[in-house]
Amino acid sequence: MELKTRGLGFRLIAVSIAIVAVAAAGVAVVVTRLSEDEVKTRLLSQAGETAALVGEVAEAGDPQDLARALLSAKLRKAGSAWILDSEGRYVANPDPRHRKGVEEGVAFGDTEVELTAVNQPLAQIGEKGVGHKVPLRSVVGRYESGMGLMDVLGEPHVVAFKVLPARGWIVGVDEPATATYSSAASLKKYILLTCAILGFSILLSTAISISYIIQPFYREKLELSGKIAAANRNLKKLHEVSVGMQKSLALDDRFRKILGAAHEVLGLDRIFLFLPNAENTVLECRGCFGNQDEPADALTLPIGPEGGVVSQAYLTRKTFRVVNARDLPRDLRLAAPYSELKALRSRSFIVMPMIVESQSVGVVAVDNQLSKAPITAEIIEGLELFTSQAAVAIENAKLYQQLKVYADELEVTDHLTQLFTFFHFKKLLQGEIDRARTSGRSLHLAVVSVDNFAGYNERMGHKSGDDVLRRVAQVVRAGVRKKDLIGRCFGSTFGVILPDAGEEGAGQVVGELFQRLQAQFYPGEEGTPEGRIRFLTAVGAYVRGSGWTAEDFFGAVLEESKKTAG
């Protein structure tokens, strides 16, 4: 900000100086031109008036009157008026400095004059002149009037003349150049002084404007821009965290993201996340950031009066902002032994409930124990937004875990018989095949199915059919060894994996299983055409080197069981 305002101040001052300089130069030029024009007009007018007066006096024929006329036409004490004849000699000049020249007939007309302005007769307009610097006597017959610069008695003078053609005289007036332009020079000095004062005033006002107007404005603008940029960064970070939490459905992953994001976005020293246990009897610290004392799993508070303000925030769904813990009412303080936990000791802190659909799902506690920085209203506002997002994310993660457990159970366990599903059963069978292939141990597979189940199910209804399947599952579970693995493969077909049973042992298990199934009573079976529920069984041994997969092994034993039908 300082660099910006300094640069701006330099530019303003430079512009001010440039404006003053241009104004001074412009005024000087204008004053000079106006002064020159004024001098030109004044002297030419004076020369014309003097010539008119001389013409009148000359008609009277008294030379003394000419001198008096010239003396009365004298412009200044330092200047003079004079008359020259066509030869350039004085006819009259009352200036005492020129008395000798008048008496001796000095040819003053031989003095060169540098013409600056002339009037020519109309007939001579367009003729090529001999130049601007000409002898004074040569103006007769060429110009009607004019003015210029010439040297008089060793001093530069401004001279204006008027030609009397009838007599061939030159009537002139002159004055020292320094006297002529002294007023203009003085005027320019005053103007330059005025411009200098004006420039200083502009510089002073610019400096004051920079110090008391521009810099505060830019400072406020930059502070506001900084706050807006910080808010945008925080919102962007919160959005990224929200998206990240939605992608990461695992509860522990969300805890880490929540705490890390809160620290980064809100800039808090310590953050604690408390969630209720399954029984809703205690609040467990499921994660913390910035804690250097007890580990998170040691920070467990009862949901009740002993849990202090943390428990009350959870129960009442209210936010507690504690400026000084000494002022905290007794009913909001932690009871012993929880009050001895160092991690939960803080002078100034905020406890905010996490609410989803008017229900508390947890509590967030924060403080700046290390930096002692105040927790501003902006931080609290950000914390409220953050906890609302975190609460939804945690609830989604819990729901995800529940759905995952249920999905896993559906994938592994058949909901009707509580046996392994066929998908999981094949995984187990493939694992046993791999072990048998590498270890050389025996592996047998038994298949049991209800032969006339479709007719029974159609006659007695699905509810009775489900009851038959549950009874078959119970009989099979009771009739095999603990190490054997049972699965409901599909429909009314069941499979039993018999590792290390040997051929004789496997045959014995299947035989006894068949007898138990046949001895079991099944409601309504007497209504079937056969009068009984019939079962098909078969057992097969895995042959090393056969290259069978679980699908191949099961298919071979299933086909073998079908051969026993009828």
Side-chain angles (χ1 to χ4, degrees), residues 63-64 76 87 98 136 160 175 208 243 273 282 292 328 336 339 343 358 479-480 483 490 525 528 543 552 558:
Q64 295 297 326
R76 296 184 183 181
E87 299 298 325
H98 294 269
L136 182 59
E175 60 184 32
I208 294 174
V243 173
L273 177 63
V282 297
Q292 303 296 327
L328 199 64
S339 58
S358 301
V480 299
K483 64 189 304 184
F490 46 82
E525 63 176 342
T528 61
V543 180
D552 299 331
L558 179 64

Side-chain angles (χ1 to χ4, degrees), residues 217-229:
F217 171 76
Y218 268 90
R219 188 179 297 111
E220 293 177 1
K221 183 177 179 181
L222 289 175
E223 289 177 356
L224 179 60
S225 299
K227 291 180 179 179
I228 293 175

Side-chain angles (χ1 to χ4, degrees), residues 471-481 486 513 516:
R471 287 174 181 257
V472 171
Q474 292 173 359
V475 172
V476 174
R477 188 183 291 111
V480 299
R481 302 171 304 171
I486 313 169
L513 186 58
R516 291 187 180 189

Side-chain angles (χ1 to χ4, degrees), residues 386-428:
F386 178 79
T387 52
S388 63
Q389 288 186 339
V392 174
I394 290 174
E395 282 300 289
N396 288 342
K398 288 182 177 179
L399 179 61
Y400 168 76
Q401 284 191 335
Q402 294 173 358
L403 293 175
K404 189 174 185 303
V405 170
Y406 181 67
D408 291 342
E409 290 177 352
L410 290 178
E411 181 181 340
V412 174
T413 307
D414 176 60
H415 74 283
L416 180 63
T417 64
Q418 302 305 306
L419 301 176
F420 291 125
T421 62
F422 188 34
F423 177 78
H424 190 63
F425 182 79
K426 287 190 292 183
K427 286 185 176 181
L428 297 175

